[in-house]
Amino acid sequence: MKRLTVKTSVAALSLSLVFGGMSAYAFDDVTLDTQVQMLQSLRDQGIVKGVSSNKFNPAGTLSEAQGIQMIVNAFDLSAGNETTEPGNPKWYHAAYDAAMAEGLSIPEMRDAEEALTREVFANLLFEGINTTGEYPVILLYNHIEDEQEIRPEYTSSIQNLLNMKVISLDDKEQFRPRDTLTRMEAAEMVYEAREFIDRYGKGGSSDETPGTVPGSGQQAMVPEVSSQTIDEKTVKVKISLELPNPGYGLEIKDVELSKNGKAIIKYEIIQPDPNKMYPQVITERSAETNIPSGYTPEVAPFS
């Protein structure tokens, strides 16, 4: 697993061009104590700077180049042999090279000055976290009021970040995926991402949290149950579950018939092959079994 350190290589110069001068004290335009402390921490680690010696401009928008630079700095990404553009290099070329070398999904139609949207930055952030190792993630599908506005290729990243507590929804349970990202929003997301890595990465706890994956016998979601009468003696039961990617499976391991008329269906989430790569697309898995008529189906994790 990659150790995160203060960024000193790929874009030390370009960071100063992205965020301007740095103040040794709190920014005049940031007064909330939690935000002041957060920015102080990120600045000390070389991840963000102000637009001037005493201004951060928290409500200002973040450009594509600035956002990619933040991701590169936050996760200490290394530049490979990629070349983004021929000719004289611009301040952000090194960051693009590093992001490309690590396999991040930088926008196909690149525009360094284009304002980043919340969904694009969230996807880059999740991919950045994944460059540092594998982490336990709760298998929980979060209701997002404006989910229909999220592009399908970003849905899984946003769901995972919500489960990691790296991002959150607003008071209307919306994510506002197409809104442009502010500098403060980006800083808060990056800060929470690094806090998550500190908790569960190298040097943090390696214990699996109950109800998380990877790991065997850890079930975080309860499958949906449906039933269909086959004949007077038999009922077919189907259990269904949405999982983070196509590598996961769902199996019925046992059925216990209780004296109180319940059929306890024991299920297990099958883990992905660790030697294969899977697209981060939420995938529905299902399994079926038959139970005697007169029993009420219920589900429970297999152990």
mmCIF file of all heavy atoms in Angstrom, residues 13-43:
data_model
loop_
_atom_site.group_PDB
_atom_site.id
_atom_site.type_symbol
_atom_site.label_atom_id
_atom_site.label_comp_id
_atom_site.label_asym_id
_atom_site.label_seq_id
_atom_site.Cartn_x
_atom_site.Cartn_y
_atom_site.Cartn_z
ATOM 1 N N LEU A 13 5.935 23.315 -8.248
ATOM 2 C CA LEU A 13 5.833 24.634 -8.846
ATOM 3 C C LEU A 13 4.403 24.936 -9.259
ATOM 4 O O LEU A 13 3.877 26.010 -8.976
ATOM 5 C CB LEU A 13 6.748 24.726 -10.077
ATOM 6 C CG LEU A 13 6.626 26.019 -10.901
ATOM 7 C CD1 LEU A 13 6.989 27.228 -10.037
ATOM 8 C CD2 LEU A 13 7.525 25.950 -12.131
ATOM 9 N N SER A 14 3.735 23.981 -9.924
ATOM 10 C CA SER A 14 2.396 24.240 -10.432
ATOM 11 C C SER A 14 1.391 24.448 -9.324
ATOM 12 O O SER A 14 0.396 25.138 -9.502
ATOM 13 C CB SER A 14 1.933 23.096 -11.336
ATOM 14 O OG SER A 14 1.953 21.880 -10.654
ATOM 15 N N LEU A 15 1.607 23.858 -8.141
ATOM 16 C CA LEU A 15 0.684 24.076 -7.026
ATOM 17 C C LEU A 15 0.639 25.548 -6.655
ATOM 18 O O LEU A 15 -0.415 26.104 -6.379
ATOM 19 C CB LEU A 15 1.110 23.245 -5.816
ATOM 20 C CG LEU A 15 0.224 23.386 -4.574
ATOM 21 C CD1 LEU A 15 -1.194 22.934 -4.904
ATOM 22 C CD2 LEU A 15 0.787 22.593 -3.427
ATOM 23 N N SER A 16 1.786 26.204 -6.667
ATOM 24 C CA SER A 16 1.798 27.615 -6.320
ATOM 25 C C SER A 16 1.069 28.424 -7.377
ATOM 26 O O SER A 16 0.453 29.442 -7.081
ATOM 27 C CB SER A 16 3.244 28.116 -6.184
ATOM 28 O OG SER A 16 3.913 28.032 -7.425
ATOM 29 N N LEU A 17 1.093 27.955 -8.630
ATOM 30 C CA LEU A 17 0.369 28.653 -9.672
ATOM 31 C C LEU A 17 -1.123 28.411 -9.565
ATOM 32 O O LEU A 17 -1.923 29.257 -9.951
ATOM 33 C CB LEU A 17 0.868 28.186 -11.048
ATOM 34 C CG LEU A 17 2.321 28.554 -11.375
ATOM 35 C CD1 LEU A 17 2.732 27.920 -12.691
ATOM 36 C CD2 LEU A 17 2.498 30.057 -11.441
ATOM 37 N N VAL A 18 -1.514 27.229 -9.064
ATOM 38 C CA VAL A 18 -2.930 26.912 -8.925
ATOM 39 C C VAL A 18 -3.589 27.763 -7.858
ATOM 40 O O VAL A 18 -4.635 28.364 -8.058
ATOM 41 C CB VAL A 18 -3.122 25.422 -8.556
ATOM 42 C CG1 VAL A 18 -4.582 25.138 -8.265
ATOM 43 C CG2 VAL A 18 -2.646 24.533 -9.699
ATOM 44 N N PHE A 19 -2.967 27.842 -6.695
ATOM 45 C CA PHE A 19 -3.635 28.451 -5.554
ATOM 46 C C PHE A 19 -2.979 29.752 -5.061
ATOM 47 O O PHE A 19 -3.408 30.315 -4.063
ATOM 48 C CB PHE A 19 -3.702 27.451 -4.390
ATOM 49 C CG PHE A 19 -4.618 26.318 -4.701
ATOM 50 C CD1 PHE A 19 -4.103 25.073 -5.012
ATOM 51 C CD2 PHE A 19 -5.986 26.491 -4.704
ATOM 52 C CE1 PHE A 19 -4.946 24.027 -5.317
ATOM 53 C CE2 PHE A 19 -6.831 25.438 -5.009
ATOM 54 C CZ PHE A 19 -6.310 24.219 -5.316
ATOM 55 N N GLY A 20 -1.947 30.200 -5.705
ATOM 56 C CA GLY A 20 -1.363 31.469 -5.328
ATOM 57 C C GLY A 20 -0.499 31.380 -4.097
ATOM 58 O O GLY A 20 -0.007 30.331 -3.728
ATOM 59 N N GLY A 21 -0.324 32.505 -3.429
ATOM 60 C CA GLY A 21 0.555 32.577 -2.271
ATOM 61 C C GLY A 21 -0.005 31.887 -1.058
ATOM 62 O O GLY A 21 -1.184 31.603 -0.967
ATOM 63 N N MET A 22 0.846 31.637 -0.076
ATOM 64 C CA MET A 22 0.441 30.897 1.116
ATOM 65 C C MET A 22 0.642 31.763 2.354
ATOM 66 O O MET A 22 1.657 32.415 2.505
ATOM 67 C CB MET A 22 1.272 29.617 1.233
ATOM 68 C CG MET A 22 0.968 28.839 2.473
ATOM 69 S SD MET A 22 1.618 27.157 2.454
ATOM 70 C CE MET A 22 3.128 27.301 1.577
ATOM 71 N N SER A 23 -0.345 31.745 3.227
ATOM 72 C CA SER A 23 -0.243 32.482 4.480
ATOM 73 C C SER A 23 0.133 31.526 5.602
ATOM 74 O O SER A 23 -0.244 30.363 5.598
ATOM 75 C CB SER A 23 -1.592 33.150 4.798
ATOM 76 O OG SER A 23 -1.596 33.634 6.116
ATOM 77 N N ALA A 24 0.875 32.022 6.548
ATOM 78 C CA ALA A 24 1.261 31.193 7.692
ATOM 79 C C ALA A 24 0.131 31.114 8.709
ATOM 80 O O ALA A 24 0.220 30.373 9.674
ATOM 81 C CB ALA A 24 2.507 31.753 8.344
ATOM 82 N N TYR A 25 -0.926 31.909 8.489
ATOM 83 C CA TYR A 25 -2.029 31.956 9.441
ATOM 84 C C TYR A 25 -3.338 31.685 8.717
ATOM 85 O O TYR A 25 -3.370 31.424 7.522
ATOM 86 C CB TYR A 25 -2.056 33.311 10.145
ATOM 87 C CG TYR A 25 -0.746 33.650 10.803
ATOM 88 C CD1 TYR A 25 0.146 34.522 10.198
ATOM 89 C CD2 TYR A 25 -0.384 33.069 12.017
ATOM 90 C CE1 TYR A 25 1.366 34.815 10.797
ATOM 91 C CE2 TYR A 25 0.834 33.353 12.617
ATOM 92 C CZ TYR A 25 1.706 34.228 12.006
ATOM 93 O OH TYR A 25 2.914 34.501 12.583
ATOM 94 N N ALA A 26 -4.429 31.764 9.449
ATOM 95 C CA ALA A 26 -5.742 31.504 8.875
ATOM 96 C C ALA A 26 -6.058 32.520 7.788
ATOM 97 O O ALA A 26 -5.632 33.672 7.845
ATOM 98 C CB ALA A 26 -6.803 31.565 9.967
ATOM 99 N N PHE A 27 -6.840 32.077 6.790
ATOM 100 C CA PHE A 27 -7.257 32.974 5.725
ATOM 101 C C PHE A 27 -8.347 33.915 6.235
ATOM 102 O O PHE A 27 -9.251 33.505 6.967
ATOM 103 C CB PHE A 27 -7.766 32.165 4.534
ATOM 104 C CG PHE A 27 -6.730 31.255 3.932
ATOM 105 C CD1 PHE A 27 -6.816 29.887 4.095
ATOM 106 C CD2 PHE A 27 -5.668 31.769 3.203
ATOM 107 C CE1 PHE A 27 -5.872 29.046 3.542
ATOM 108 C CE2 PHE A 27 -4.716 30.942 2.650
ATOM 109 C CZ PHE A 27 -4.817 29.572 2.820
ATOM 110 N N ASP A 28 -8.301 35.164 5.784
ATOM 111 C CA ASP A 28 -9.274 36.155 6.241
ATOM 112 C C ASP A 28 -10.696 35.802 5.833
ATOM 113 O O ASP A 28 -11.650 36.196 6.508
ATOM 114 C CB ASP A 28 -8.923 37.537 5.676
ATOM 115 C CG ASP A 28 -7.633 38.092 6.259
ATOM 116 O OD1 ASP A 28 -7.152 37.533 7.266
ATOM 117 O OD2 ASP A 28 -7.106 39.076 5.694
ATOM 118 N N ASP A 29 -10.854 35.115 4.702
ATOM 119 C CA ASP A 29 -12.195 34.828 4.189
ATOM 120 C C ASP A 29 -12.704 33.450 4.599
ATOM 121 O O ASP A 29 -13.703 32.977 4.076
ATOM 122 C CB ASP A 29 -12.232 34.983 2.664
ATOM 123 C CG ASP A 29 -11.166 34.153 1.964
ATOM 124 O OD1 ASP A 29 -10.335 33.539 2.655
ATOM 125 O OD2 ASP A 29 -11.164 34.130 0.712
ATOM 126 N N VAL A 30 -12.028 32.794 5.541
ATOM 127 C CA VAL A 30 -12.496 31.522 6.110
ATOM 128 C C VAL A 30 -12.506 31.678 7.619
ATOM 129 O O VAL A 30 -11.462 31.836 8.248
ATOM 130 C CB VAL A 30 -11.580 30.347 5.708
ATOM 131 C CG1 VAL A 30 -12.088 29.047 6.338
ATOM 132 C CG2 VAL A 30 -11.516 30.210 4.195
ATOM 133 N N THR A 31 -13.682 31.643 8.209
ATOM 134 C CA THR A 31 -13.805 31.927 9.641
ATOM 135 C C THR A 31 -14.296 30.739 10.466
ATOM 136 O O THR A 31 -14.109 30.718 11.680
ATOM 137 C CB THR A 31 -14.762 33.114 9.871
ATOM 138 O OG1 THR A 31 -16.034 32.819 9.284
ATOM 139 C CG2 THR A 31 -14.204 34.382 9.228
ATOM 140 N N LEU A 32 -14.955 29.764 9.831
ATOM 141 C CA LEU A 32 -15.456 28.612 10.566
ATOM 142 C C LEU A 32 -14.276 27.792 11.079
ATOM 143 O O LEU A 32 -13.394 27.406 10.308
ATOM 144 C CB LEU A 32 -16.342 27.762 9.652
ATOM 145 C CG LEU A 32 -17.144 26.641 10.315
ATOM 146 C CD1 LEU A 32 -18.144 27.201 11.319
ATOM 147 C CD2 LEU A 32 -17.864 25.805 9.255
ATOM 148 N N ASP A 33 -14.259 27.539 12.389
ATOM 149 C CA ASP A 33 -13.101 26.895 13.011
ATOM 150 C C ASP A 33 -12.729 25.573 12.349
ATOM 151 O O ASP A 33 -11.552 25.297 12.105
ATOM 152 C CB ASP A 33 -13.370 26.656 14.504
ATOM 153 C CG ASP A 33 -13.310 27.941 15.313
ATOM 154 O OD1 ASP A 33 -12.799 28.948 14.778
ATOM 155 O OD2 ASP A 33 -13.781 27.931 16.465
ATOM 156 N N THR A 34 -13.730 24.737 12.066
ATOM 157 C CA THR A 34 -13.423 23.428 11.474
ATOM 158 C C THR A 34 -12.781 23.580 10.102
ATOM 159 O O THR A 34 -11.871 22.822 9.746
ATOM 160 C CB THR A 34 -14.694 22.578 11.361
ATOM 161 O OG1 THR A 34 -15.692 23.309 10.627
ATOM 162 C CG2 THR A 34 -15.236 22.234 12.737
ATOM 163 N N GLN A 35 -13.238 24.569 9.330
ATOM 164 C CA GLN A 35 -12.662 24.789 8.007
ATOM 165 C C GLN A 35 -11.266 25.377 8.108
ATOM 166 O O GLN A 35 -10.379 25.026 7.321
ATOM 167 C CB GLN A 35 -13.576 25.703 7.184
ATOM 168 C CG GLN A 35 -14.900 25.053 6.814
ATOM 169 C CD GLN A 35 -15.790 25.967 5.996
ATOM 170 O OE1 GLN A 35 -15.617 27.186 5.979
ATOM 171 N NE2 GLN A 35 -16.757 25.384 5.302
ATOM 172 N N VAL A 36 -11.057 26.262 9.064
ATOM 173 C CA VAL A 36 -9.722 26.836 9.270
ATOM 174 C C VAL A 36 -8.723 25.730 9.594
ATOM 175 O O VAL A 36 -7.621 25.675 9.025
ATOM 176 C CB VAL A 36 -9.761 27.887 10.395
ATOM 177 C CG1 VAL A 36 -8.335 28.302 10.789
ATOM 178 C CG2 VAL A 36 -10.551 29.117 9.959
ATOM 179 N N GLN A 37 -9.093 24.846 10.508
ATOM 180 C CA GLN A 37 -8.194 23.750 10.905
ATOM 181 C C GLN A 37 -7.953 22.783 9.753
ATOM 182 O O GLN A 37 -6.836 22.302 9.549
ATOM 183 C CB GLN A 37 -8.789 23.013 12.108
ATOM 184 C CG GLN A 37 -8.856 23.866 13.362
ATOM 185 C CD GLN A 37 -9.653 23.202 14.471
ATOM 186 O OE1 GLN A 37 -10.004 22.028 14.375
ATOM 187 N NE2 GLN A 37 -9.930 23.948 15.530
ATOM 188 N N MET A 38 -8.991 22.520 8.988
ATOM 189 C CA MET A 38 -8.867 21.625 7.846
ATOM 190 C C MET A 38 -7.914 22.191 6.796
ATOM 191 O O MET A 38 -7.002 21.504 6.319
ATOM 192 C CB MET A 38 -10.236 21.394 7.217
ATOM 193 C CG MET A 38 -10.215 20.554 5.948
ATOM 194 S SD MET A 38 -11.749 20.728 5.013
ATOM 195 C CE MET A 38 -11.604 22.444 4.479
ATOM 196 N N LEU A 39 -8.109 23.462 6.459
ATOM 197 C CA LEU A 39 -7.242 24.092 5.471
ATOM 198 C C LEU A 39 -5.805 24.186 5.958
ATOM 199 O O LEU A 39 -4.861 24.038 5.178
ATOM 200 C CB LEU A 39 -7.777 25.480 5.114
ATOM 201 C CG LEU A 39 -9.087 25.507 4.331
ATOM 202 C CD1 LEU A 39 -9.569 26.940 4.146
ATOM 203 C CD2 LEU A 39 -8.920 24.833 2.970
ATOM 204 N N GLN A 40 -5.643 24.422 7.255
ATOM 205 C CA GLN A 40 -4.292 24.470 7.824
ATOM 206 C C GLN A 40 -3.589 23.135 7.629
ATOM 207 O O GLN A 40 -2.424 23.071 7.228
ATOM 208 C CB GLN A 40 -4.355 24.805 9.316
ATOM 209 C CG GLN A 40 -3.000 24.929 10.000
ATOM 210 C CD GLN A 40 -2.271 26.198 9.613
ATOM 211 O OE1 GLN A 40 -2.890 27.251 9.484
ATOM 212 N NE2 GLN A 40 -0.966 26.110 9.423
ATOM 213 N N SER A 41 -4.327 22.036 7.881
ATOM 214 C CA SER A 41 -3.761 20.707 7.728
ATOM 215 C C SER A 41 -3.397 20.424 6.274
ATOM 216 O O SER A 41 -2.301 19.938 5.974
ATOM 217 C CB SER A 41 -4.744 19.654 8.239
ATOM 218 O OG SER A 41 -4.292 18.343 7.972
ATOM 219 N N LEU A 42 -4.312 20.742 5.354
ATOM 220 C CA LEU A 42 -4.053 20.501 3.938
ATOM 221 C C LEU A 42 -2.916 21.369 3.424
ATOM 222 O O LEU A 42 -2.091 20.924 2.614
ATOM 223 C CB LEU A 42 -5.326 20.758 3.125
ATOM 224 C CG LEU A 42 -6.481 19.779 3.338
ATOM 225 C CD1 LEU A 42 -7.693 20.208 2.525
ATOM 226 C CD2 LEU A 42 -6.085 18.353 2.974
ATOM 227 N N ARG A 43 -2.851 22.597 3.885
ATOM 228 C CA ARG A 43 -1.773 23.484 3.454
ATOM 229 C C ARG A 43 -0.428 22.999 3.973
ATOM 230 O O ARG A 43 0.575 22.987 3.249
ATOM 231 C CB ARG A 43 -2.028 24.911 3.947
ATOM 232 C CG ARG A 43 -1.073 25.941 3.359
ATOM 233 C CD ARG A 43 -1.103 27.219 4.154
ATOM 234 N NE ARG A 43 -0.632 26.988 5.516
ATOM 235 C CZ ARG A 43 -0.652 27.906 6.470
ATOM 236 N NH1 ARG A 43 -1.167 29.096 6.223
ATOM 237 N NH2 ARG A 43 -0.192 27.631 7.672
#
